Amino acid sequence: MSGKSPPPPLLPPLPPPRAPGPLQVIPLGPPPVPPSHRYSTRRLRPLLPSDVATPSSSTTRAPLPPPPRRRAVLAACIACRKRKSKCSGGRPKCVECTRRETDCAYDTGGDETPGRALKRRFADLENQASVFENIYRILRTRPQPEADAVLNRIRAGEDPETILRHVQHGDLLLQLSVIPESRYRYEFPFMITLPLRLQTPTNNYLSSLIYEWDRQSPPEDPQEDGLEPLNSMVSADQASNAGLHGPYLRPYHAAEVIDPLIDSAEPAEWTMVSSDNALMRTLLRAYFLHEHHWYTILHKDCFLADMSSGRSRFCSSLLVNALLAMACFCHRALPKRAEFWNPHTLGYQFHAEAKRLWESEQNRNRLTTVQAAILLNLVYSLNGADRLGQIYTSQAIAISKELGLFEKPADWESMSPKVRIVRTITAWGLYGYECEYVYHFLREPLLEMPPDLELPDVDNHPEWYSEVWLKYPLQQTLYPMHFGHSFKALCEFRAIMKDVSVGYYFGRPAPRPMPSLEIIVKLYSRLGAWYNKLPEPLTARKIVFPGQMKLHMHYCHVVANMFQPLVEPPLGSRGANRTISSAQEVLLDAQIHYETVLRLYYLRHGFEGMDSFLLLLLSTIAFKSIQEIKLSKNGDDHQGSNDLSHLNTLRSTLILCAKGLYDQGRSWFLPQSIFRLVRDAMLDAEANLLQQFANIPDEVKENEDNRLRHIQSHWPVNIVDIRMSNPEEQQLTNLLRAYADLNLETASDYADD
């Protein structure tokens, strides 16, 4: 062998073999989780090539940093939700929509979750629905010119919220415009001053607070400065002493009845006519403001409490519909409320529903049926159809006798206090209504005796008489109407009034002679005793509300009717006979007081608010003024036949009463017919003055003739003497027919000419 060395190896020598050990497997997935992160909820990042262990890598490796925490997104965009992709929540455009070049839109706010956005959209829909409901109610309840203006805005494409805001701001401005009514007074037409013939030394109504505050400029009212506590309640004495003269400075129709029971009432649960609880609550307030105090037939608090709770002890569907039918005349915002024949009016619908319910309830002897019957009779009477409505009073009296309503039953003491109170109020309300009907319609009474149920003292038992609280615009004080005192005094007065009608009219053959002087003196003494013991809120010094003033006018009306037959002529010269002379003094004082209170009523409250009893007071003075004007022009008036000032005074009274009849005719139908009789009975000079100073337009004769078909009334309107032998000749239906025949004859003669 040669000495050549071997060639170098191509590969390095292998290491010496090691002892066999466990087989090591190189993992293909993510590296093992360190013990400190084994139970972490963080997601691990993907495996990188550098993370795979190699033979040359070091056996020690640095711990992995924690993965970054993903920011929570409150809501995904609409596109990401549809394709179910991850949304970054970026606004105005998310990352995924930017990458895909698609539109990005959100239905949530920047800080809203889907749940919050859903609640917001639901609230928006509710508000929108409320806007439409309010506009619908405006179109249905507002006067025709206002409704037409709103409809024109809708057709012009104006936004609903803008329309509603415009109407509401207009109402606010209207409410603010009532501020001057704190110093506001109505002015007499034709003659703006109180006639001199009424300014006598014995006229105690000229010293009343309402007349004193009307003549002077009162000091600043502290209520307007916001110094009074919210919803504070004051008595009449406190109001006078503290200088709080709200009712003496503001018209009654500007006030609002405040009652939590009305706010919680749900009238829609008791009627099928309407589902608008807000509107029907307004009707309830209007009824308790205008009519409840004079024709009281139910206990306000018990009725409203049962209406709210759904109980049927003192409330029923029949009673609710009858009351709402009556209330529609009282709400001045209802258009065409006097058109009782119009099936599209709300009053017609409530009345029709009440009549339907009456047919199904007439065999159920309940207190609520008695109450509803009187309200239905009232509705018929306001529409000039008392002949049809009288059947309801007859049935109410029959049901009352079956219930033993006018006497204490054997279980009286075991009855609940509320039942005793409601039975007593209903019994006296029904009796008083019957007394009114007997006196003014000259009819035989259906109830001989008053209820054998005592009306307790008002101050010691106020729970018997649910007070009515009034709030005037921009004031926080609540004023009481003194309802309990008025109701109790009115019941006592009507009982005497019925005895007057019986003593003068019934049981006497025609022609009916005067009752004996002893009977007249006894009746007049009873009336005088009643007048002298009137509670302080009802005295001539303190009266302010229409119900209180009507009570005094009614008293003067009855006294004048009692002594009118004793005086010939009514305002003639003093005679030698002492009885006639005394009767003349009483009659003259009663007539002066009557007209004074009526004028004070107008100065403060006007004749625009619905007042059913005001019709009788206005018509009585109107026809009397027409008679005196004719006597004055014929030279038969011994108290100033040639005195122009006296004639103008009579004209002023006549125009004022005619204007009142016209204003009342906007709310209910019967005054429209009486106004026609008064206008047709005027001489040409007075008719021209009426049109000139009262701003009363001429009505279309065709419409008047159509209205005549609806009158079915027993009311003897133009009553001069309570002893008249044939009152049927003066009934409203017969008078209207006579005038219609006269107009037809005049038209026929004119055509022949």
Side-chain angles (χ1 to χ4, degrees), residues 443-496:
R443 294 291 175 180
E444 293 285 348
L446 299 178
L447 293 172
E448 298 294 337
M449 301 298 295
D452 188 20
L453 302 171
E454 182 182 0
L455 288 171
D457 182 74
V458 178
D459 297 325
N460 296 331
H461 299 276
E463 72 279 0
W464 278 69
Y465 313 93
S466 52
E467 185 59 271
V468 179
W469 294 92
L470 304 179
K471 179 180 179 296
Y472 287 87
L474 304 182
Q475 287 196 321
Q476 301 302 325
T477 297
L478 300 184
Y479 294 92
M481 194 187 288
H482 302 292
F483 172 80
H485 290 296
S486 298
F487 176 73
K488 192 172 187 297
L490 191 57
C491 291
E492 296 169 351
F493 171 74
R494 284 169 172 167
I496 304 174

Coordinates of all heavy atoms in Angstrom, one line a residue, residues 443-496:
R443 N -149.1 73.4 36.6 CA -149.7 72.1 36.6 C -149.9 71.5 38.0 O -149.4 72.0 39.0 CB -148.7 71.2 35.8 CG -148.5 71.5 34.4 CD -149.7 71.2 33.6 NE -149.6 71.6 32.2 CZ -150.5 71.5 31.3 NH1 -151.6 70.9 31.6 NH2 -150.3 71.9 30.0
E444 N -150.8 70.5 38.0 CA -151.1 69.9 39.3 C -149.8 69.2 39.8 O -149.1 68.5 39.0 CB -152.2 68.9 39.1 CG -153.5 69.5 38.8 CD -154.2 70.2 40.1 OE1 -153.6 69.9 41.2 OE2 -155.1 70.9 39.9
P445 N -149.5 69.2 41.1 CA -148.3 68.6 41.6 C -148.5 67.1 41.7 O -149.6 66.6 42.0 CB -148.1 69.2 43.0 CG -149.5 69.6 43.4 CD -150.2 70.0 42.1
L446 N -147.4 66.3 41.3 CA -147.5 64.9 41.5 C -147.0 64.4 42.9 O -147.2 63.3 43.3 CB -146.6 64.2 40.4 CG -147.0 64.5 39.0 CD1 -146.0 63.8 38.0 CD2 -148.4 64.0 38.7
L447 N -146.3 65.3 43.6 CA -145.8 65.1 44.9 C -146.5 66.1 45.9 O -146.3 67.3 45.7 CB -144.3 65.2 45.0 CG -143.5 64.2 44.2 CD1 -142.0 64.6 44.2 CD2 -143.6 62.8 44.9
E448 N -147.2 65.6 46.8 CA -148.0 66.5 47.7 C -147.1 67.0 48.8 O -147.2 68.2 49.1 CB -149.2 65.7 48.3 CG -150.2 65.2 47.3 CD -150.9 66.4 46.6 OE1 -150.9 67.5 47.2 OE2 -151.4 66.2 45.5
M449 N -146.2 66.2 49.4 CA -145.5 66.6 50.5 C -144.0 66.5 50.2 O -143.5 65.7 49.4 CB -145.8 65.7 51.7 CG -147.3 65.7 52.1 SD -147.8 67.4 52.7 CE -146.8 67.5 54.2
P450 N -143.2 67.3 50.9 CA -141.7 67.2 50.7 C -141.2 66.0 51.3 O -141.9 65.3 52.1 CB -141.2 68.5 51.4 CG -142.2 68.8 52.4 CD -143.5 68.4 51.8
P451 N -140.0 65.6 51.0 CA -139.4 64.3 51.6 C -139.3 64.4 53.1 O -139.0 65.5 53.7 CB -138.0 64.3 51.0 CG -138.1 65.1 49.7 CD -139.1 66.2 50.0
D452 N -139.6 63.3 53.8 CA -139.4 63.2 55.2 C -138.0 62.9 55.6 O -137.7 62.0 56.4 CB -140.4 62.2 55.8 CG -140.5 62.2 57.3 OD1 -140.1 63.2 57.9 OD2 -140.9 61.2 57.9
L453 N -137.1 63.6 55.0 CA -135.7 63.4 55.2 C -135.0 64.8 55.5 O -135.2 65.7 54.7 CB -135.0 62.7 54.0 CG -135.6 61.4 53.6 CD1 -135.0 61.0 52.3 CD2 -135.3 60.3 54.6
E454 N -134.4 64.9 56.6 CA -133.8 66.2 57.0 C -132.5 66.4 56.3 O -131.6 65.5 56.3 CB -133.6 66.2 58.5 CG -133.1 67.5 59.0 CD -132.9 67.5 60.5 OE1 -133.1 66.5 61.2 OE2 -132.4 68.5 61.1
L455 N -132.3 67.6 55.8 CA -131.0 68.1 55.3 C -130.2 68.7 56.5 O -130.6 69.7 57.0 CB -131.2 69.1 54.2 CG -131.8 68.6 52.9 CD1 -132.1 69.8 52.0 CD2 -130.8 67.7 52.2
P456 N -129.1 68.0 56.8 CA -128.3 68.5 58.0 C -127.7 69.8 57.8 O -127.6 70.3 56.7 CB -127.3 67.4 58.2 CG -127.1 66.8 56.9 CD -128.4 66.9 56.2
D457 N -127.2 70.4 58.9 CA -126.5 71.7 58.8 C -125.2 71.5 57.9 O -124.5 70.5 58.0 CB -126.1 72.1 60.2 CG -125.4 73.5 60.1 OD1 -126.1 74.5 59.9 OD2 -124.1 73.5 60.3
V458 N -125.0 72.5 57.1 CA -123.9 72.4 56.1 C -122.6 72.5 56.8 O -121.6 71.7 56.4 CB -124.1 73.6 55.0 CG1 -122.9 73.5 54.0 CG2 -125.4 73.4 54.3
D459 N -122.4 73.4 57.7 CA -121.1 73.6 58.4 C -120.7 72.4 59.3 O -119.6 72.1 59.4 CB -121.1 74.9 59.2 CG -121.3 76.1 58.3 OD1 -120.8 76.1 57.2 OD2 -122.0 77.1 58.8
N460 N -121.7 71.8 59.9 CA -121.4 70.6 60.8 C -121.3 69.3 60.0 O -120.7 68.3 60.5 CB -122.5 70.5 61.9 CG -122.5 71.7 62.8 OD1 -121.5 72.4 63.0 ND2 -123.7 72.1 63.3
H461 N -121.9 69.2 58.8 CA -121.9 68.0 58.1 C -121.5 68.3 56.6 O -122.4 68.1 55.7 CB -123.3 67.3 58.1 CG -123.7 66.9 59.5 ND1 -123.3 65.7 60.1 CD2 -124.5 67.5 60.4 CE1 -123.8 65.7 61.3 NE2 -124.5 66.7 61.5
P462 N -120.3 68.7 56.4 CA -119.9 69.1 55.0 C -119.9 67.9 54.1 O -120.0 68.0 52.8 CB -118.6 69.7 55.1 CG -118.0 69.1 56.4 CD -119.2 68.9 57.3
E463 N -119.7 66.6 54.6 CA -119.7 65.4 53.8 C -121.0 65.2 53.0 O -121.0 64.4 52.1 CB -119.3 64.2 54.6 CG -120.3 63.7 55.6 CD -120.4 64.5 56.9 OE1 -119.6 65.5 57.0 OE2 -121.3 64.1 57.7
W464 N -122.1 65.8 53.5 CA -123.3 65.6 52.8 C -123.4 66.3 51.5 O -124.2 66.0 50.6 CB -124.5 66.0 53.7 CG -124.9 65.0 54.7 CD1 -124.2 64.5 55.8 CD2 -126.1 64.2 54.7 NE1 -124.9 63.5 56.5 CE2 -126.1 63.3 55.8 CE3 -127.2 64.2 53.9 CZ2 -127.1 62.5 56.1 CZ3 -128.3 63.3 54.2 CH2 -128.2 62.5 55.3
Y465 N -122.6 67.4 51.4 CA -122.7 68.3 50.3 C -121.3 68.3 49.6 O -120.4 69.0 50.2 CB -123.2 69.7 50.7 CG -124.4 69.6 51.6 CD1 -124.2 69.7 53.0 CD2 -125.7 69.6 51.1 CE1 -125.3 69.7 53.8 CE2 -126.8 69.6 51.9 CZ -126.6 69.6 53.3 OH -127.7 69.6 54.1
S466 N -121.1 67.7 48.5 CA -119.8 67.6 47.9 C -119.5 69.0 47.3 O -120.2 69.5 46.3 CB -119.8 66.6 46.8 OG -120.9 66.7 45.9
E467 N -118.5 69.7 47.8 CA -118.2 71.0 47.4 C -117.6 71.1 46.0 O -117.0 70.1 45.5 CB -117.2 71.7 48.4 CG -116.9 73.1 48.1 CD -118.1 74.0 48.2 OE1 -118.7 74.2 47.1 OE2 -118.4 74.5 49.2
V468 N -117.9 72.1 45.3 CA -117.4 72.3 43.9 C -116.3 73.4 44.0 O -116.6 74.6 44.5 CB -118.5 72.8 42.9 CG1 -117.9 73.0 41.6 CG2 -119.5 71.7 42.9
W469 N -115.1 73.1 43.6 CA -114.0 74.1 43.7 C -113.6 74.6 42.4 O -113.6 73.9 41.4 CB -112.7 73.4 44.3 CG -112.9 73.0 45.8 CD1 -113.4 71.8 46.2 CD2 -112.7 73.8 46.9 NE1 -113.5 71.8 47.6 CE2 -113.1 73.0 48.1 CE3 -112.3 75.1 47.1 CZ2 -113.0 73.5 49.4 CZ3 -112.2 75.6 48.4 CH2 -112.5 74.8 49.5
L470 N -113.4 75.9 42.3 CA -113.2 76.6 41.1 C -111.8 77.2 41.0 O -111.3 77.7 42.1 CB -114.2 77.8 40.9 CG -115.7 77.4 40.9 CD1 -116.5 78.6 40.8 CD2 -116.0 76.4 39.9
K471 N -111.2 77.2 39.9 CA -109.9 77.8 39.6 C -109.9 78.7 38.4 O -110.4 78.3 37.4 CB -108.8 76.7 39.4 CG -107.4 77.2 39.1 CD -106.4 76.1 38.9 CE -105.0 76.6 38.7 NZ -105.0 77.4 37.4
Y472 N -109.5 79.9 38.6 CA -109.5 80.9 37.6 C -108.2 80.9 36.8 O -107.1 80.5 37.4 CB -109.8 82.3 38.1 CG -111.3 82.4 38.5 CD1 -111.7 82.1 39.8 CD2 -112.2 82.9 37.6 CE1 -113.0 82.2 40.2 CE2 -113.6 83.0 38.0 CZ -114.0 82.7 39.3 OH -115.3 82.7 39.6
P473 N -108.1 81.4 35.6 CA -106.9 81.4 34.8 C -105.8 82.1 35.5 O -106.0 83.2 36.1 CB -107.3 82.1 33.5 CG -108.8 81.9 33.4 CD -109.3 81.9 34.8
L474 N -104.6 81.5 35.4 CA -103.4 82.1 35.9 C -103.4 82.4 37.4 O -102.7 83.2 37.9 CB -103.0 83.4 35.2 CG -102.9 83.3 33.7 CD1 -102.6 84.7 33.1 CD2 -101.9 82.3 33.3
Q475 N -104.2 81.6 38.1 CA -104.3 81.7 39.6 C -104.1 80.3 40.1 O -104.5 79.3 39.5 CB -105.6 82.3 40.1 CG -105.8 83.8 39.8 CD -106.9 84.3 40.6 OE1 -107.9 83.7 40.8 NE2 -106.7 85.5 41.2
Q476 N -103.6 80.2 41.4 CA -103.5 78.9 42.0 C -104.5 78.7 43.2 O -104.6 77.6 43.7 CB -102.0 78.9 42.6 CG -100.9 79.0 41.6 CD -101.0 78.0 40.5 OE1 -101.4 76.8 40.7 NE2 -100.7 78.4 39.3
T477 N -105.2 79.7 43.6 CA -106.2 79.6 44.6 C -107.4 78.9 44.1 O -107.9 79.2 43.0 CB -106.5 81.0 45.2 OG1 -105.4 81.6 45.8 CG2 -107.6 80.8 46.3
L478 N -107.9 78.0 44.9 CA -109.2 77.3 44.6 C -110.3 77.9 45.4 O -110.2 78.1 46.7 CB -109.1 75.8 44.9 CG -108.0 75.0 44.1 CD1 -108.1 73.5 44.5 CD2 -108.2 75.2 42.6
Y479 N -111.4 78.4 44.8 CA -112.5 79.0 45.4 C -113.7 78.1 45.6 O -114.1 77.4 44.6 CB -112.9 80.3 44.7 CG -111.9 81.4 44.6 CD1 -110.9 81.4 43.6 CD2 -111.8 82.3 45.6 CE1 -110.0 82.4 43.5 CE2 -110.8 83.3 45.6 CZ -109.9 83.4 44.5 OH -109.0 84.4 44.5
P480 N -114.3 78.0 46.8 CA -115.5 77.2 46.9 C -116.7 77.9 46.3 O -116.9 79.1 46.4 CB -115.6 77.0 48.4 CG -115.0 78.3 49.0 CD -113.9 78.7 48.0
M481 N -117.6 77.1 45.8 CA -118.8 77.6 45.2 C -119.9 77.7 46.3 O -121.0 78.2 46.1 CB -119.3 76.7 44.1 CG -120.4 77.3 43.2 SD -121.1 76.2 42.0 CE -119.8 76.1 40.9
H482 N -119.6 77.2 47.5 CA -120.6 77.1 48.6 C -121.8 76.4 48.2 O -123.0 76.8 48.3 CB -121.0 78.5 49.1 CG -119.8 79.4 49.5 ND1 -119.1 79.1 50.7 CD2 -119.2 80.5 49.0 CE1 -118.1 80.0 50.8 NE2 -118.2 80.8 49.8
F483 N -121.5 75.2 47.6 CA -122.6 74.4 47.0 C -123.6 73.9 48.1 O -124.8 74.0 47.9 CB -122.0 73.2 46.3 CG -123.1 72.2 45.9 CD1 -123.8 72.4 44.7 CD2 -123.4 71.0 46.6 CE1 -124.7 71.5 44.2 CE2 -124.3 70.2 46.2 CZ -125.0 70.4 45.0
G484 N -123.1 73.5 49.3 CA -124.1 73.0 50.3 C -125.1 74.1 50.7 O -126.3 73.8 50.9
H485 N -124.6 75.3 51.0 CA -125.5 76.4 51.4 C -126.5 76.7 50.3 O -127.7 76.9 50.6 CB -124.7 77.6 51.7 CG -123.9 77.5 53.0 ND1 -124.4 77.4 54.2 CD2 -122.5 77.6 53.1 CE1 -123.5 77.3 55.1 NE2 -122.3 77.4 54.5
S486 N -126.1 76.7 49.0 CA -127.0 77.0 47.9 C -128.0 75.9 47.8 O -129.2 76.2 47.6 CB -126.2 77.2 46.6 OG -125.3 78.2 46.7
F487 N -127.6 74.6 47.9 CA -128.6 73.5 47.7 C -129.6 73.5 48.8 O -130.8 73.4 48.5 CB -127.8 72.2 47.6 CG -128.7 71.0 47.5 CD1 -129.3 70.7 46.4 CD2 -128.9 70.2 48.6 CE1 -130.2 69.6 46.3 CE2 -129.7 69.1 48.6 CZ -130.3 68.8 47.4
K488 N -129.2 73.7 50.0 CA -130.1 73.6 51.1 C -131.1 74.8 51.1 O -132.3 74.6 51.2 CB -129.4 73.6 52.4 CG -130.2 73.3 53.7 CD -129.3 73.2 54.9 CE -130.1 72.7 56.1 NZ -131.2 73.6 56.5
A489 N -130.6 76.0 50.8 CA -131.5 77.2 50.7 C -132.4 77.0 49.5 O -133.6 77.4 49.6 CB -130.7 78.4 50.5
L490 N -132.0 76.5 48.4 CA -132.8 76.3 47.2 C -134.0 75.3 47.5 O -135.1 75.5 47.0 CB -132.0 75.9 46.0 CG -132.6 75.9 44.6 CD1 -133.2 77.3 44.3 CD2 -131.7 75.4 43.6
C491 N -133.7 74.2 48.2 CA -134.7 73.2 48.5 C -135.8 73.9 49.4 O -137.0 73.6 49.2 CB -134.1 72.0 49.2 SG -133.0 71.0 48.2
E492 N -135.4 74.6 50.4 CA -136.3 75.3 51.3 C -137.2 76.3 50.5 O -138.4 76.4 50.8 CB -135.6 76.0 52.4 CG -134.8 75.0 53.3 CD -133.9 75.7 54.3 OE1 -133.7 76.9 54.2 OE2 -133.4 75.0 55.2
F493 N -136.5 77.0 49.6 CA -137.3 78.0 48.8 C -138.3 77.4 47.9 O -139.4 77.9 47.8 CB -136.3 78.9 48.0 CG -137.0 79.8 47.1 CD1 -137.6 80.9 47.5 CD2 -136.9 79.5 45.7 CE1 -138.2 81.8 46.6 CE2 -137.5 80.4 44.8 CZ -138.2 81.5 45.2
R494 N -137.9 76.3 47.3 CA -138.8 75.6 46.3 C -140.0 75.1 47.0 O -141.1 75.0 46.5 CB -138.1 74.6 45.5 CG -137.2 75.2 44.5 CD -136.3 74.1 43.9 NE -135.6 74.7 42.7 CZ -134.5 74.1 42.1 NH1 -134.0 72.9 42.6 NH2 -133.9 74.6 41.1
A495 N -139.9 74.6 48.3 CA -141.0 74.1 49.0 C -142.0 75.2 49.3 O -143.3 75.0 49.2 CB -140.5 73.5 50.3
I496 N -141.6 76.4 49.6 CA -142.5 77.6 49.8 C -143.1 78.0 48.4 O -144.3 78.3 48.3 CB -141.7 78.8 50.4 CG1 -141.1 78.4 51.7 CG2 -142.7 79.9 50.6 CD1 -140.2 79.4 52.3

